[in-house]
Amino acid sequence: DNKKFFIFDILFSALFFLLFFKVFLLSSVKDSFHYSWYLGPAFSSIVGGNLLVDTVSQYGYLSILFIKYFSLFTQISSSHGY
């Protein structure tokens, strides 16, 4: 009996996840202004700027470093945009 509730919980959670994924990531209008607060400092640090010395970061240190190293690891550059 408990296993039925567990399967129901998993299916219900997956349904909500897919619903929110579609609504917020696939269907919503993207405003590049909000992304620039993350991507600007990340790009500046990729091209040689020292974070929090030469490059200002409004949203912290680790989030910008994560974007920087993830971009370097996956070889994603700014030329892959629109």
Side-chain angles (χ1 to χ4, degrees):
D1 189 44
N2 201 13
K3 187 172 182 165
K4 285 192 272 187
F5 288 119
F6 178 73
I7 292 172
F8 178 74
D9 287 342
I10 296 295
L11 292 176
F12 197 65
S13 299
L15 176 70
F16 269 104
F17 174 77
L18 292 175
L19 179 71
F20 287 125
F21 180 77
K22 189 210 178 303
V23 169
F24 290 111
L25 294 178
L26 300 179
S27 300
S28 62
V29 176
K30 308 300 185 277
D31 185 8
S32 61
F33 173 76
H34 295 288
Y35 294 113
S36 66
W37 293 102
Y38 289 100
L39 298 180
F43 182 74
S44 295
S45 65
I46 287 172
V47 296
N50 292 325
L51 194 58
L52 301 179
V53 176
D54 303 324
T55 304
V56 178
S57 172
Q58 180 173 345
Y59 290 116
Y61 191 78
L62 292 177
S63 60
I64 305 303
L65 285 180
F66 174 77
I67 294 171
K68 173 186 174 182
Y69 290 120
F70 182 75
S71 299
L72 293 174
F73 177 73
T74 58
Q75 298 297 313
I76 295 175
S77 69
S78 60
S79 63
H80 290 125
Y82 294 72

